[in-house]
Amino acid sequence: MLEQLFNPGGIAVVGATPKAGKVGNTLLRNLISFQNKDNTARRIFAVNAKYDRILDVKCYPSILELEETVDLAVVAVPAVSVPEVIEQCGEKGISNVVVISAGFKEAGREGAVLESELIQISDKYDLNLVGPNCVGLLNTHVGLNATFGKSVPTKGNIAFLSQSGAFALAVIDWSKAANVGFSKIVSIGNKAVLDECDFIEYLYKDTETDVIAMYLEDIRAGTRFMDIVRAVTKTKPVVVMKSGRTDAGAKAASSHTGSLAGSSEAFSTAFQQSGVVEVNTINDLFDFSLTLSRIRGITGGIAIVTNSGGPGVMAADAIEESGLVLASFGRDTLEKLRVLDMANFYNPVDVRGDADADKFGTALGIVAADEQVGAIISILSPTAQIEFDKAGDYVLDVNKKKPIIPVFMGGESVIGAIDRFKLHGIANYFDPVRAVKALSAVGRYSEGRESVSVQTPYFNADRKAIADLVEARNRKGLKDGVGVEGFKLLEAYGIPVPSCGNAETAEAALELADRIGYPVSLKIVSPDIIHKTDVGCVKLNVRREEVKETFFEIMSLAEKYTSTRRIEGVLVQQMVGDGKEVIVGMKRDTNFGPLIMFGLGGIYVEVFKDVSFRIPPLSTEDALEMIKSVKAYRILKGIRGEPMSDIDSLVKVLLRFSQICMDFPEVLEADLNPVKVFEDGKGCCALDFKMTIGYRL
Amino acid sequence: MKNLLVSSVEEYSGKSAVIIALGLLLREEGFKVGYFKPFGVGITRIGDQLVDEDAYNTAIALNTGDDMDDICPVKLDRPYEDFVCSMFPDVYKTRVLDSYERISADKDIVLVEGAASYEVGIALGLCDRDIASALDLDILMAVKYTSDFVLDHVLAAKEFFGASLKFVLFNQLAGYKKAYVNEVVAGFLKANGMELLGSMPYDPLLAGLFVSEICEALNGEWLVKTEEDVLIEEFLIGAMSPQSALKYFRRVRQAALITGGDRADLQNLALETGTIKCILLTGHLEPPQTMLGKAEEKGVPVILVMDDTLTTMEKVDEIFGKARVRGDAKIKKIKELVAEYVDINRLKEYLG
């Protein structure tokens, strides 16, 4: 669908101008050099009512006057004129438009209205519109530079999408100096029509792109993003730098693009579940992308071959810290290395500072031949004996057989070798730790790809009854489904709960307790009192003779804390036996929908933040992984002679809770806190439940 | 046919709302309903007419066709002390009797609204007891259920009115006390010679303020003005992180967010949640243009105010809870509540 956008036969530059330094002039200048494969110039047209010719290109008063229908219009006219130009593009049958012009929603009310007009016109003519407020796009493989950047990167297999135009321009400029190749670069601007998902879909099928790198401040459609990326990452790595992770960053991003501050947990969880490699720095964005553009998998451990001990140790530390594993060499390898007279023939292999390039190359060759070695970090510091160019040849030779990351540490003396590496798409690192981190991207990609799944179970539940309940609450304007109604919802979904009921009077509490059986627990029901225990509004092991008195005591304490009007009653509940307390919660994220949280319960959970997240629907594997990935899992497994907890029943609770989240979009937040997990085989039980029901807007 | 005076133990107890709802419901059943407020203390100028704001609002809602000067014959148009000293009470009483005669002449039922609270006007001989006695009216006491001690206020009123206080209607009752009122308090009232006519729940919509009212009260500047004058039920102060704010944004239905102009993160989040219907920007800090564009697109009014957040909230508190029943949505809601929670048949039976 976007083929013509990236490889247009003819292009019109609307707003072209002879004034050097102006965007309309740079755009035209960049496009004039755009040629066909047979080196004939592509058909480029200028549109500007004031001129007949610009830069020796025929100029038309309007796009409607063009003698042919071009494939792409690049628009750089004042914002107020853009809707008319887009309308003309539609009338003329042009399907691809890049709107460079700024002054749209980023500029205020009038701009927002103009942007809405763009969207309407694009819908009317089914236009592929990039921007507005962007710097354009380029495709190195056909020589298309529809940006106002001054240079074009070399050809490569990394595509880069950027929500920041300035960053895109910086990358274009940097890429030339760094000799990093790109297949496509797109500045996605305000994403009025085409957004990151549309471009990812296109790049998925683009044979010239092997890795998709992105800088994003927000994601327009979280669920669609996950669906698309989940499919893409099976074959192509997607590396994303998402800014606005902190409160300060979110505030800045919100001012910059009006983006919405979704929770950083939601973004990270969505990325993890869809196989995205998430990074936090520009270095990582391109280090990871470059590594993944040539290395997709590592089968075996990591070998270090170095002529300097210190950097070798740094690399070894980094390998362990990043979750990679140092390779153990086979006997044959060790025998061969032993005879080379080195400081260390175990991993990290230290060929010593007096080694020359041949000795280094020989060691590299031996290590590369070892089946236990999946990739090599080759570290050289500039000793008098080493010839970097020659050593570089050895690295390039090994690179044909096994992934290798060069760490040629130095300045001028290593420039030649580094330049040769660049020609082969290989990045050199000064810092061994950074090199290892880049290599770890491969591991992260492989893990992410494997975890992309899967089948989700479906449980039968009395949805109608519960839907009625949610609807009734919604209608009455009650926002928090606390108390018995909440427990009914859980019961209908097969989540075990203790016998309970809501009492508005002491008499009613006694009647309920008689029915449930003693002892009972009494808990306040009020949306204003979240931490009930802290204000003395939870009473356990209450006997019959204590029920009325306890009811009044709870009410009296609660009324000190909140208005009578906000107290719904007292929950009378069956007491349950001993077990481990865990929390299962959900918050509906503004970008990705429900985000389920799991963690060990108790009052310190907010301090330790030992919790895991997943975006539902959950598979059994997801649920189990959620439980296993918290540090407190060991406690559930049983420590110091304690019995193991019933993990299987907890998995079922998570799965059924996941289904509630999926079935009821009105449920915006929900917490099962605590869920008591009994010993293995004895199940679990949700002791408390609170949720926020959204209004149907 | 008897007529009824709706009185209250304190101001802002919902007398006008109850009268509007009862009047409209009775009219739907074919009764010709009149409205009368003998002593108006909330005076305002509308056009060139001096009116009691409450009476004016209720008269418009009920549209009884009577002259405003008859609907509210005695208006507190100067300080009360001046009023008490400068005129003869008999003049007012005569005015009240004359107007009432004209109002009730062609009506099946006249709903009479008391002054701010039942003792107001006692110095003039125009308190609710004086009016009830002069016009031979029984009393329906509208009681805002603020705490259990309102029962004492009701008993005090009963002593004041004596036998004419027939009915009690609890208003703004919510939470677990509903059960107590219906199971325990009803019996208590009966034992004291009163009847519980109903207990209506608190409804945020009725307490709500229109955005235009808020803008006027805060002397605000419209940055984005929408065609529809939206009703605001709650106010939220935005000073926390977006993730913390989100749960509060979600728990409201028709809320205004009070925040600084520099909190683009909260403003944008508020515009997405759909529950924040108005943004009040304090400290005269202009917001980013992107936000205003989005607000325009979403139809959310944005108001810039000079005051800081604390002062703004204080001013809002001052006007909140004193909202009048005006506009179709509020009138529809109070009718629904009265129809559901008030024993209209018992009232009709009593009125004959």
Side-chain angles (χ1 to χ4, degrees):
Chain A
M1 148 194 171
L2 302 183
E3 196 51 50
Q4 284 186 332
L5 179 67
F6 285 98
N7 191 8
I11 305 171
V13 179
V14 187
T17 169
K19 292 173 192 162
K22 294 277 184 189
V23 171
N25 182 271
T26 312
L27 277 168
L28 187 61
R29 204 177 283 277
N30 285 344
L31 287 167
I32 286 171
S33 55
F34 181 36
Q35 294 186 325
N36 287 310
K37 278 185 181 164
D38 60 1
N39 290 337
T40 54
R42 299 229 182 178
R43 300 182 310 283
I44 309 295
F45 305 91
V47 178
N48 189 331
K50 291 184 196 160
Y51 307 98
D52 295 329
R53 293 193 83 76
I54 301 172
L55 297 175
D56 213 21
V57 171
K58 188 174 177 190
C59 192
Y60 296 80
S62 107
I63 207 142
L64 294 172
E65 309 288 322
L66 293 182
E67 286 142 17
E68 65 171 284
T69 299
V70 292
D71 292 331
L72 171 65
V74 184
V75 182
V77 297
V80 70
S81 309
V82 173
E84 188 190 347
V85 170
I86 304 302
E87 182 81 44
Q88 289 173 350
C89 289
E91 282 176 31
K92 187 74 181 168
I94 299 169
S95 359
N96 302 291
V97 186
V98 175
V99 182
I100 305 286
S101 319
F104 291 86
K105 76 174 184 192
E106 81 285 0
R109 278 168 292 176
E110 291 80 10
V113 173
L114 287 174
E115 190 157 322
S116 303
E117 284 180 45
L118 290 197
I119 295 168
Q120 279 171 14
I121 300 166
S122 299
D123 281 351
K124 184 169 144 192
Y125 294 105
D126 197 20
L127 300 182
N128 296 320
L129 186 141
V130 184
N133 184 29
C134 71
V135 301
L137 56 84
L138 55 81
N139 176 358
T140 57
H141 288 267
V142 296
L144 169 71
N145 181 8
T147 75
F148 54 90
K150 285 180 184 160
S151 55
V152 184
T154 50
K155 286 181 192 172
N157 57 355
I158 300 170
F160 177 52
L161 306 178
S162 176
Q163 196 167 344
S164 160
F167 184 30
L169 284 177
V171 169
I172 291 169
D173 200 46
W174 163 81
S175 69
K176 198 81 179 172
N179 203 13
V180 173
F182 285 93
S183 56
K184 273 98 189 160
I185 292 182
V186 187
S187 156
I188 54 181
N190 289 6
K191 306 193 272 190
V193 177
L194 294 179
D195 64 16
E196 55 279 341
C197 291
D198 301 301
F199 290 109
I200 296 167
E201 265 184 333
Y202 167 76
L203 293 168
Y204 178 35
K205 290 178 186 158
D206 179 30
T207 52
E208 284 145 2
T209 296
D210 291 328
V211 177
I212 303 169
M214 285 186 272
Y215 168 76
L216 296 175
E217 289 183 10
D218 67 358
I219 287 173
R220 199 159 69 174
T223 309
R224 183 175 172 228
F225 177 89
M226 285 184 74
D227 288 345
I228 292 171
V229 173
R230 207 175 259 147
V232 174
T233 52
K234 281 180 185 150
T235 51
K236 281 186 190 179
V238 175
V239 185
V240 177
M241 179 178 176
K242 156 74 179 69
S243 64
R245 296 181 307 279
T246 62
D247 287 346
K251 202 170 148 186
S254 215
S255 289
H256 179 208
T257 54
S259 62
L260 208 54
S263 77
S264 55
E265 290 94 358
F267 275 103
S268 293
T269 306
F271 290 158
Q272 185 194 341
Q273 282 181 246
S274 43
V276 166
V277 179
E278 187 187 8
V279 295
N280 291 336
T281 66
I282 295 174
N283 276 347
D284 285 352
L285 180 63
F286 293 112
D287 286 355
F288 284 26
S289 298
L290 272 168
T291 307
L292 287 165
S293 71
R294 64 187 185 93
I295 308 171
R296 283 302 164 76
I298 302 172
T299 39
I302 311 300
I304 300 167
V305 179
T306 177
N307 72 344
S308 39
V313 177
M314 292 177 209
D317 272 345
I319 283 172
E320 187 159 316
E321 281 165 1
S322 61
L324 296 169
V325 180
L326 266 183
S328 295
F329 297 145
R331 177 177 292 274
D332 193 32
T333 304
L334 290 172
E335 290 304 327
K336 286 177 182 165
L337 290 172
R338 188 195 298 272
V339 298
L340 287 182
D341 183 23
M342 299 185 297
N344 185 29
F345 55 88
Y346 294 108
N347 197 5
V349 175
D350 185 350
V351 295
R352 266 203 329 250
D354 60 355
D356 60 12
D358 288 331
K359 188 173 179 183
F360 175 73
T362 307
L364 271 185
I366 294 167
V367 168
D370 192 318
E371 283 181 0
Q372 317 262 21
V373 173
I376 302 165
I377 304 279
S378 57
I379 306 171
L380 280 185
S381 52
T383 58
Q385 286 76 15
I386 208 80
E387 281 178 76
F388 277 108
D389 287 353
K390 198 170 184 186
D393 286 341
Y394 282 113
V395 168
L396 290 173
D397 192 42
V398 165
N399 184 51
K400 292 173 192 156
K401 304 164 210 152
K402 207 145 249 181
I404 184 164
I405 307 268
V407 183
F408 282 16
M409 303 169 77
E412 281 188 5
S413 53
V414 299
I415 288 173
I418 290 173
D419 284 345
R420 292 197 55 215
F421 290 152
K422 284 177 184 170
L423 291 176
H424 291 82
I426 299 173
N428 178 74
Y429 297 95
F430 179 85
D431 177 0
V433 176
R434 190 171 154 189
V436 172
K437 200 174 174 193
L439 193 58
S440 73
V442 180
R444 284 177 54 187
Y445 170 60
S446 307
E447 274 171 29
R449 191 169 41 174
E450 281 159 21
S451 71
V452 171
S453 58
V454 266
Q455 287 289 311
T456 55
Y458 191 83
F459 305 98
N460 287 321
D462 184 4
R463 289 188 56 184
K464 171 76 174 66
I466 303 306
D468 289 348
L469 188 148
V470 171
E471 176 63 33
R473 250 187 116 89
N474 207 335
R475 204 173 47 243
K476 282 185 193 165
L478 298 171
K479 291 159 266 181
D480 306 274
V482 288
V484 178
E485 290 170 342
F487 284 99
K488 279 184 188 158
L489 174 65
L490 299 183
E491 261 186 318
Y493 274 79
I495 295 176
V497 295
S499 301
C500 61
N502 190 48
E504 291 182 340
T505 64
E507 280 299 331
L510 188 63
E511 275 175 35
L512 261 171
D514 282 350
R515 221 178 307 142
I516 289 166
Y518 293 92
V520 291
S521 66
L522 299 186
K523 299 173 184 174
I524 193 72
V525 181
S526 166
D528 287 351
I529 305 177
I530 308 296
H531 302 294
K532 305 177 181 79
T533 311
D534 296 0
V535 290
C537 287
V538 173
K539 303 288 180 193
L540 305 177
N541 292 309
V542 179
R543 289 168 295 155
R544 189 174 198 281
E545 58 274 25
E546 297 166 332
V547 170
K548 281 189 168 182
E549 186 188 319
T550 309
F551 179 93
F552 293 131
E553 188 189 344
I554 288 176
M555 285 308 187
S556 149
L557 288 167
E559 282 175 15
K560 282 183 191 153
Y561 193 81
T562 186
S563 144
T564 307
R565 173 187 293 170
R566 302 276 291 164
I567 299 170
E568 295 195 14
V570 162
L571 185 75
V572 183
Q573 199 175 52
Q574 173 196 9
M575 289 293 301
V576 298
D578 287 340
K580 302 279 178 355
E581 291 191 351
V582 298
I583 298 174
V584 176
M586 182 279 285
K587 274 187 185 177
R588 209 164 280 272
D589 183 75
T590 44
N591 291 290
F592 296 99
L595 180 67
I596 294 181
M597 181 207 69
F598 169 79
L600 200 71
I603 55 174
Y604 299 123
V605 65
E606 285 168 26
V607 177
F608 294 116
K609 296 194 191 315
D610 180 24
V611 291
S612 58
F613 296 94
R614 284 290 184 287
I615 293 169
L618 298 184
S619 64
T620 306
E621 293 78 14
D622 285 330
L624 196 56
E625 192 52 41
M626 280 187 88
I627 297 167
K628 283 183 173 174
S629 59
V630 296
K631 292 189 185 78
Y633 173 59
R634 286 182 57 205
I635 297 174
L636 291 173
K637 279 207 304 182
I639 50 172
R640 302 181 72 167
E642 280 186 333
M644 183 171 167
S645 300
D646 196 335
I647 308 282
D648 287 347
S649 74
L650 191 53
V651 166
K652 283 180 190 141
V653 166
L654 277 164
L655 293 173
R656 289 167 188 271
F657 184 70
S658 157
Q659 192 172 317
I660 292 175
C661 301
M662 298 306 292
D663 284 353
F664 294 101
E666 297 95 334
V667 177
L668 300 177
E669 291 178 12
D671 272 322
L672 305 180
N673 183 16
V675 175
K676 198 159 255 192
V677 193
F678 307 113
E679 66 182 79
D680 199 19
K682 295 190 174 169
C684 57
C685 189
L687 298 192
D688 212 342
F689 181 53
K690 68 171 189 282
M691 67 177 175
T692 302
I693 299 170
Y695 289 100
R696 204 158 290 149
L697 300 166
Chain B
M1 170 64 79
K2 292 171 185 164
N3 291 332
L4 199 65
L5 187 145
V6 181
S7 181
S8 66
V9 294
E10 60 174 328
E11 288 181 274
Y12 305 109
S13 295
K15 297 188 292 290
S16 303
V18 167
I19 287 173
I20 290 172
L22 284 176
L24 293 173
L25 289 166
L26 290 169
R27 186 184 291 161
E28 280 171 14
E29 295 199 22
F31 295 97
K32 196 149 191 235
V33 179
Y35 167 63
F36 185 54
K37 181 164 186 178
F39 184 31
V41 297
I43 304 305
T44 189
R45 183 168 290 281
I46 292 180
D48 56 358
Q49 207 180 4
L50 209 58
V51 295
D52 174 83
E53 203 176 347
D54 237 2
Y56 180 79
N57 187 51
T58 307
I60 285 184
L62 287 175
N63 192 20
T64 55
D66 295 310
D67 189 282
M68 262 323 289
D69 281 336
D70 274 339
I71 287 175
C72 186
V74 182
K75 293 180 271 288
L76 188 65
D77 56 0
R78 70 206 75 170
Y80 190 53
E81 301 90 322
D82 284 2
F83 217 90
V84 170
C85 300
S86 65
M87 304 274 284
F88 298 103
D90 285 351
V91 176
Y92 300 128
K93 202 164 271 179
T94 310
R95 208 186 284 172
V96 168
L97 289 171
D98 291 349
S99 289
Y100 184 68
E101 199 179 329
R102 283 193 287 277
I103 293 269
S104 58
D106 56 346
K107 307 294 188 316
D108 298 324
I109 300 166
V110 179
L111 296 168
V112 181
E113 183 170 358
S117 63
Y118 68 87
E119 306 108 320
V120 168
I122 202 164
L124 281 174
L126 284 181
C127 74
D128 291 355
R129 183 180 58 190
D130 300 327
I131 299 289
S133 161
L135 305 182
D136 190 24
L137 304 170
D138 281 335
I139 308 290
L140 162 61
M141 189 60 86
V143 182
K144 186 159 72 174
Y145 204 99
T146 46
S147 80
D148 293 349
F149 300 114
V150 296
L151 295 180
D152 291 334
H153 299 312
V154 173
L155 271 193
K158 177 69 181 168
E159 278 181 26
F160 184 77
F161 284 107
S164 62
L165 202 173
K166 293 278 194 294
F167 299 104
V168 173
L169 172 56
F170 286 115
N171 195 10
Q172 301 193 13
L173 181 66
Y176 79 106
K177 289 289 178 187
K178 283 180 288 188
Y180 271 98
V181 166
N182 293 325
E183 289 169 24
V184 183
V185 177
F188 171 81
L189 291 176
K190 197 169 179 186
N192 285 282
M194 291 170 280
E195 230 177 284
L196 180 63
L197 197 64
S199 45
M200 298 199 296
Y202 172 80
D203 192 284
L205 190 146
L206 291 174
L209 290 166
F210 286 98
V211 173
S212 58
E213 293 173 321
I214 298 165
C215 187
E216 194 185 330
L218 298 176
N219 198 19
E221 177 192 337
W222 293 98
L223 295 184
V224 174
K225 191 170 185 179
T226 51
E227 271 180 35
E228 192 193 353
D229 197 5
V230 186
L231 198 62
I232 299 302
E233 295 174 359
E234 288 172 76
F235 290 82
L236 295 176
I237 294 183
M240 63 289 271
S241 73
Q243 289 316 307
S244 304
L246 187 58
K247 67 179 173 204
Y248 295 100
F249 289 1
R250 282 173 168 167
R251 285 184 183 151
V252 294
R253 177 167 59 179
Q254 297 267 120
L257 172 69
I258 303 175
T259 193
D262 58 343
R263 292 301 307 266
D265 50 348
L266 287 181
Q267 296 154 16
N268 281 314
L269 186 68
L271 290 173
E272 286 303 320
T273 47
T275 56
I276 305 294
K277 305 291 186 185
C278 170
I279 297 178
L280 297 168
L281 301 174
T282 55
H284 213 254
L285 291 170
E286 294 263 358
Q289 290 296 315
T290 46
M291 188 284 266
L292 291 178
K294 201 185 272 188
E296 186 95 44
E297 186 187 318
K298 303 262 179 192
V300 175
V302 181
I303 296 167
L304 188 64
V305 297
M306 292 292 285
D307 296 312
D308 58 32
T309 303
L310 181 64
T311 315
T312 304
M313 199 61 215
E314 281 172 359
K315 286 186 176 175
V316 162
D317 272 344
E318 185 62 27
I319 54 170
F320 208 63
K322 296 176 182 173
R324 295 201 156 73
V325 175
R326 68 174 185 87
D328 292 345
K330 281 191 175 185
I331 291 176
K332 181 168 176 272
K333 175 55 80 176
I334 187 67
K335 268 178 72 183
E336 282 171 8
L337 289 180
V338 169
E340 186 173 352
Y341 294 100
V342 178
D343 191 348
I344 306 257
N345 288 331
R346 171 68 190 106
L347 191 65
K348 282 193 302 192
E349 180 195 351
Y350 175 78
L351 291 170

